[in-house]
Amino acid sequence: MALLEIENLHAGVEDEDIKILNGVDLTLDTGQLHAIMGPNGSGKSTLAAVLAGREEYEVLEGEILFQGEDLLELEPEERAEEGIFLAFQYPVELPGVSMTNFLKEAVNSVREARGQDELSSADFLKYMREKASLVDIDADLTKRSVNEGFSGGEKKRNEIFQLAMLQPKLAILDETDSGLDIDALQNVSNGVNKLWNEERGFLVITHYERILQYITPDRVHVMLDGEIVHSGDQELAHKLEEKGYDWIREEAAAAAA
Amino acid sequence: MSTSETEYLEGKASEEYEHGWSTDIESETTPKGLSEDIVRYISDRKNEPEWLLDWRLKAYEYFTDLLESGHYPDWAHLDYERPDFQDMHYFSAPKDKANYESLDEVPQEILDTFERLGIPLEEQKALTGVAVDAVMDSVSVATTFKEKLKEKGVIFKSFGEAARDHPVIVRQHLGSVVPYTDNLYAALNSAVFSDGSFVYVPEGVECPMELSTYFRMNEKGTGQFERTLIVAEPGAYVSYLEGCTAPMRKETQLHAAVVELIAHEDSEIKYSTIQNWYPGDEEGNGGIYNLVTKRGICKGDNSKISWTQLETGSAVTQKYPSVILAGDDTVGEFYSVAFTKGHQQADTGTKMQHIGKDTKSTIISKGISADVADNSYRGLVKVGKNADDARNFSQCDSMLLGPDCGAHTYPYIESANPSAQIEHEATTSKVGEDQMFYCHQRGLGEEEALKLIVNGFCKEILQELPMEFAVEAKELLAIELEGSVG
């Protein structure tokens, strides 16, 4: 059984007559890492938002199975509890809410749903220090308010840290590499490589081939106008970097005609 | 805001008031209405000295004049019916006895009441180190820790007792910060106040414990008019906690308290409040009118007064805990969280009056509104012409938890001294879908997410509360936010 099966997914913005996804098909097995590439506005981030259950998007057609279960039936927090994690493109600030407090609530909420005991404060702090050191972030960050006053790079690294804390089955990275300098990019990539294992699948959404120099995907998909129009291996990413998206566009148009 | 979020937030309005019940104690209550006879009766029942009766009568006369000439303090952003002063009771006392010497004398029902409110006096006595002067309706029920305070020379008594035992100090300070001519409700309180607390901390003494009074209104249709007077002599320090809840009542109840603080040279008074009175029902019927005058004076140089309040209850709240910075190098602080939901309305803030040189004031106000509630901050920073190098920092943040509530900020600044530095910052934010979704994505449900966000928003204020209150305050905010999440 695949970890994630997306079949003929059509989705748009609720209350507005805008269709963004026009029949996405994708299958991801546990232990695999797939990259989704594509130009701006092709629907990559919408796909991530729909998977995480963002309410302003409406699914019009198709289905999503997560570990064989209908994902669309679940509330966003239930999806998180089932093991879906989204690293946000724009992480949100929560003024006055300390990272420690936030993560303690989140980790224990997820643990409870998975039938595990709540961590005591001491065990939680120990666990948090372990994970911080695993993804190589400054432990001082956990004393600050969630994302408040964080630099762009810190916010993105903080997403990877949360991924490490929450131990999801499926991690979706929504342009986590955008806006990072080379050091931060390496740090994020190292984090992903450490967290990528047999038990976990990754969906890495990106504009650039750059991150794929550090992370080797099993598959690369190209999204165009709300559809996956081409899939291949890492070579495809290099080709896109060299040639851009026009050839794919032409290919897709030819196939449609 | 998305539909489910709105529904959730609306669901909160349907919560029933947690402490909505009343104790069955036989009470002795004066007939409805206010007259000179009622004022004399109250004074007589409390065995007051002649001078205090005279003062009450003058206040009564002044109140009558204001009423006849239509001087209502109705300039606030509040919409409610003026109370009918002839349609309420002004005194009620448990029948058998007016005062208690020890806990053993207190009727069991009263003790049970406090137990249910989570304030078991016995346990508090043993565990928390907080002295509790519990006011049930108009009569002091129990006072603990008296001996320990006595050793240090700290006087912590019900107002009635203090007026009898320490007439000189009480007479010297009563009405010196809030005169009965201050406003209609201050005049009313001065005429009919039936109890409250008196605190006196002698020179150089740091009060050895947090002082706490637990007020509770429990008599149908009874307005409660307590009066608190705190005097800190030079070099003294005292932290005073006031917490309140009231039972569910259909009739509107008026609460018009007066609090006066006097800080002499190098002394500090910290006054903290949690106010959780009955806010009325879903349709906006009933609930407490909380119309209170609180003011402190930093009389001596280097003195400091700090107000911290968490206001979550009452149908209508109008209060402006203020500081007169008379001495040089004095400090005034105001930290406030006002949470309104349902049909609640609050118009609250502070006045910082800079008179002395190098005086400093800080105002941090957080307003949270849900449902159709209205929440206003109103503050005055006034710098006198001799107040060289006065400094003020004000920050007023509002948070809206839905599309139909309101937040307003009315800052007033009057400066007569060009060396003054006054800073004002104001923000209004909606609890965004983005914030909620971010929390959901990390596995947090509606309620957990909202609690985190609101607690974060109020953090600066909650950390100003004494430890044992801070925990209670967080819990109270959590209770306020809880709803029927489907």
Side-chain angles (χ1 to χ4, degrees):
Chain A
M1 184 179 60
L3 177 65
L4 178 72
E5 277 181 275
I6 304 173
E7 227 181 86
N8 190 32
L9 183 68
H10 293 256
V13 179
E14 211 181 17
D15 304 331
E16 285 169 57
D17 201 16
I18 304 171
K19 237 186 121 186
I20 302 173
L21 300 181
N22 298 299
V24 175
D25 291 295
L26 181 89
T27 301
L28 178 80
D29 288 324
T30 298
Q32 285 196 330
L33 187 148
H34 289 198
I36 299 181
M37 302 184 72
N40 282 331
S42 58
K44 303 186 300 293
S45 288
T46 299
L47 177 63
V50 170
L51 286 170
R54 186 136 201 166
E55 264 185 53
E56 58 259 45
Y57 295 101
E58 196 180 3
V59 173
L60 304 162
E61 215 185 313
E63 64 172 4
I64 305 175
L65 297 180
F66 179 64
Q67 300 179 299
E69 306 277 340
D70 184 359
L71 186 68
L72 297 173
E73 287 289 299
L74 303 179
E75 294 294 324
E77 59 270 29
E78 293 169 331
R79 299 182 193 200
E81 288 166 358
E82 289 295 313
I84 289 186
F85 179 90
L86 172 65
F88 282 62
Q89 184 177 4
Y90 304 108
V92 179
E93 298 187 4
L94 303 175
V97 180
S98 77
M99 277 301 299
T100 305
N101 200 8
F102 178 67
L103 282 173
K104 188 160 184 278
E105 295 276 335
V107 166
N108 280 331
S109 162
V110 163
R111 285 181 69 91
E112 196 194 330
R114 296 174 191 168
Q116 295 164 307
D117 285 341
E118 260 193 28
L119 290 179
S120 70
S121 292
D123 287 344
F124 172 78
L125 290 173
K126 192 167 160 252
Y127 177 72
M128 188 168 71
R129 276 195 295 270
E130 272 169 31
K131 297 300 175 192
S133 125
L134 178 74
V135 297
D136 193 23
I137 64 147
D138 190 346
D140 276 353
L141 185 122
T142 60
K143 291 178 190 149
R144 292 160 62 184
S145 294
V146 179
N147 293 320
E148 199 184 24
F150 284 28
S151 70
E154 278 175 330
K155 282 184 182 172
K156 296 297 182 80
R157 291 168 62 172
N158 188 26
E159 294 293 290
I160 301 300
F161 171 50
Q162 293 180 52
L163 196 173
M165 290 294 290
L166 290 167
Q167 301 281 346
K169 299 220 172 71
L170 170 66
I172 305 156
L173 273 54
D174 189 7
E175 299 195 21
T176 302
D177 54 334
S178 296
L180 294 185
D181 64 29
I182 195 73
D183 289 340
L185 181 68
Q186 276 180 3
N187 179 280
V188 162
S189 307
N190 285 341
V192 170
N193 283 324
K194 281 182 190 164
L195 296 167
W196 179 13
N197 60 33
E198 291 300 308
E199 312 280 290
R200 186 168 293 147
F202 276 84
L203 212 49
V204 176
I205 291 168
T206 179
H207 262 303
Y208 308 102
E209 186 249 356
R210 212 167 53 135
I211 191 172
L212 304 179
Q213 291 171 0
Y214 303 98
I215 300 169
T216 315
D218 295 298
R219 296 287 284 168
V220 175
H221 307 281
V222 180
M223 205 158 169
L224 211 60
D225 303 326
E227 271 184 275
I228 289 177
V229 294
H230 199 104
S231 298
D233 57 15
Q234 204 179 3
E235 270 312 301
L236 177 59
H238 297 314
K239 197 168 167 189
L240 288 171
E241 186 72 10
E242 274 170 38
K243 296 188 168 178
Y245 289 102
D246 283 349
W247 65 275
I248 295 239
R249 225 182 276 278
E250 282 158 24
E251 208 181 82
Chain B
M1 192 158 266
S2 66
T3 320
S4 81
E5 229 133 83
T6 311
E7 275 168 14
Y8 165 65
L9 294 167
E10 277 166 3
K12 289 196 292 84
S14 61
E15 278 170 60
E16 284 190 32
Y17 182 67
E18 227 214 349
H19 297 311
W21 42 271
S22 66
T23 327
D24 191 17
I25 302 166
E26 266 194 282
S27 296
E28 181 190 303
T29 303
T30 55
K32 276 184 181 177
L34 182 56
S35 64
E36 197 179 306
D37 284 347
I38 295 283
V39 176
R40 286 180 185 280
Y41 176 82
I42 294 169
S43 185
D44 184 52
R45 275 300 303 261
K46 310 206 80 60
N47 295 320
E48 283 176 355
E50 192 67 24
W51 64 265
L52 191 47
L53 173 64
D54 289 346
W55 192 73
R56 284 179 181 273
L57 290 172
K58 276 188 222 155
Y60 172 69
E61 200 179 322
Y62 190 79
F63 171 76
T64 316
D65 288 350
L66 284 181
L67 206 57
E68 277 166 10
S69 56
H71 277 82
Y72 286 91
D74 53 4
W75 35 263
H77 186 81
L78 299 167
D79 182 17
Y80 64 97
E81 260 180 58
R82 288 174 179 176
D84 180 348
F85 296 105
Q86 294 305 337
D87 193 33
M88 58 179 96
H89 300 283
Y90 288 87
F91 186 80
S92 90
K95 224 170 194 174
D96 46 353
K97 218 173 173 190
N99 278 292
Y100 303 98
E101 293 301 320
S102 78
L103 282 177
D104 308 336
E105 294 178 39
V106 177
Q108 195 52 41
E109 296 107 312
I110 294 182
L111 292 178
D112 290 346
T113 300
F114 286 112
E115 201 98 24
R116 243 175 113 173
L117 286 168
I119 308 286
L121 291 180
E122 300 290 341
E123 267 184 53
Q124 279 217 346
K125 217 171 170 180
L127 296 172
T128 62
V130 175
V132 174
D133 175 20
V135 177
M136 173 85 121
D137 279 353
S138 313
V139 174
S140 264
V141 176
T143 303
T144 52
F145 284 103
K146 270 191 175 161
E147 287 308 307
K148 203 170 168 188
L149 293 172
K150 214 174 169 181
E151 268 173 42
K152 291 269 187 181
V154 176
I155 304 168
F156 178 33
K157 286 186 175 175
S158 72
F159 208 97
E161 253 183 292
R164 288 191 299 272
D165 301 348
H166 312 281
V168 179
I169 313 173
V170 173
R171 193 174 182 178
Q172 186 190 345
H173 294 100
L174 177 69
S176 69
V177 192
V178 182
Y180 62 75
T181 50
D182 195 79
N183 66 71
L184 184 77
Y185 293 105
L188 177 64
N189 175 286
S190 304
V192 301
F193 72 90
S194 44
D195 227 321
S197 298
F198 173 76
V199 179
Y200 175 85
V201 188
E203 186 162 352
V205 169
E206 187 169 319
C207 186
M209 62 191 77
E210 308 271 356
L211 301 180
S212 166
T213 304
Y214 207 82
F215 297 103
R216 180 167 167 77
M217 282 179 271
N218 200 33
E219 195 55 32
K220 213 170 186 177
T222 303
Q224 183 154 342
F225 305 94
E226 84 268 7
R227 185 131 197 146
T228 304
L229 175 58
I230 300 177
V231 181
E233 291 290 2
Y237 170 82
V238 61
S239 170
Y240 185 89
L241 324 177
E242 169 201 10
C244 324
T245 113
M248 185 177 286
R249 287 296 182 203
K250 283 203 181 94
E251 297 88 342
T252 295
Q253 293 184 314
L254 174 65
H255 179 83
V258 170
V259 177
E260 298 178 276
L261 311 181
I262 296 139
H264 291 286
E265 212 174 280
D266 297 314
S267 71
E268 180 177 348
I269 302 174
K270 186 173 169 61
Y271 193 103
S272 312
T273 305
I274 292 183
Q275 186 267 114
N276 182 29
W277 285 328
Y278 178 54
D281 67 13
E282 275 176 55
E283 277 80 45
N285 302 313
I288 309 291
Y289 287 5
N290 184 29
L291 311 171
V292 170
T293 310
K294 289 183 167 177
R295 193 176 303 148
I297 181 165
C298 287
K299 219 169 180 174
D301 293 351
N302 289 312
S303 57
K304 177 178 174 182
I305 289 178
S306 181
W307 298 100
T308 305
Q309 60 175 22
L310 172 59
E311 302 280 328
T312 61
S314 296
V316 173
T317 295
Q318 187 179 11
K319 59 181 277 199
Y320 314 96
S322 302
V323 185
I324 302 167
L325 298 153
D328 292 346
D329 295 298
T330 51
V331 176
E333 294 172 341
F334 174 74
Y335 301 105
S336 169
V337 171
F339 187 124
T340 50
K341 65 178 181 182
H343 290 263
Q344 283 179 288
Q345 305 174 59
D347 191 302
T348 183
T350 184
K351 280 189 282 185
M352 292 292 175
Q353 248 175 292
H354 294 256
I355 296 168
K357 295 183 193 351
D358 297 305
T359 48
K360 207 166 94 182
S361 63
T362 304
I363 299 170
I364 299 181
S365 162
K366 307 271 180 178
I368 305 161
S369 304
D371 309 318
V372 293
D374 232 332
N375 202 323
S376 304
Y377 166 80
R378 188 182 304 277
L380 169 66
V381 177
K382 192 173 180 176
V383 179
K385 63 178 192 303
N386 297 321
D388 292 342
D389 300 314
R391 273 182 293 160
N392 164 267
F393 175 75
S394 302
Q395 185 187 326
C396 306
D397 300 324
S398 307
M399 182 177 263
L400 301 171
L401 302 183
D404 303 316
C405 49
H408 316 272
T409 304
Y410 304 98
Y412 304 92
I413 295 168
E414 292 171 22
S415 179
N417 188 310
S419 66
Q421 286 179 40
I422 299 169
E423 274 179 78
H424 181 89
E425 288 176 11
T427 67
T428 300
S429 59
K430 264 193 166 179
V431 169
E433 244 170 73
D434 286 347
Q435 289 180 325
M436 291 297 279
F437 180 66
Y438 193 72
C439 292
H440 293 333
Q441 214 301 305
R442 300 308 187 234
L444 303 175
E446 301 279 349
E447 229 173 83
E448 287 169 294
L450 209 54
K451 271 185 211 172
L452 264 187
I453 293 168
V454 169
N455 264 316
F457 178 70
C458 301
K459 194 181 185 179
E460 277 171 285
I461 307 301
L462 299 183
Q463 68 194 13
E464 288 298 327
L465 288 168
M467 190 73 98
E468 60 269 39
F469 247 25
V471 175
E472 210 180 301
K474 266 193 163 176
E475 198 44 46
L476 181 56
L477 272 178
I479 290 170
E480 288 296 306
L481 287 163
E482 267 159 27
S484 44
V485 185

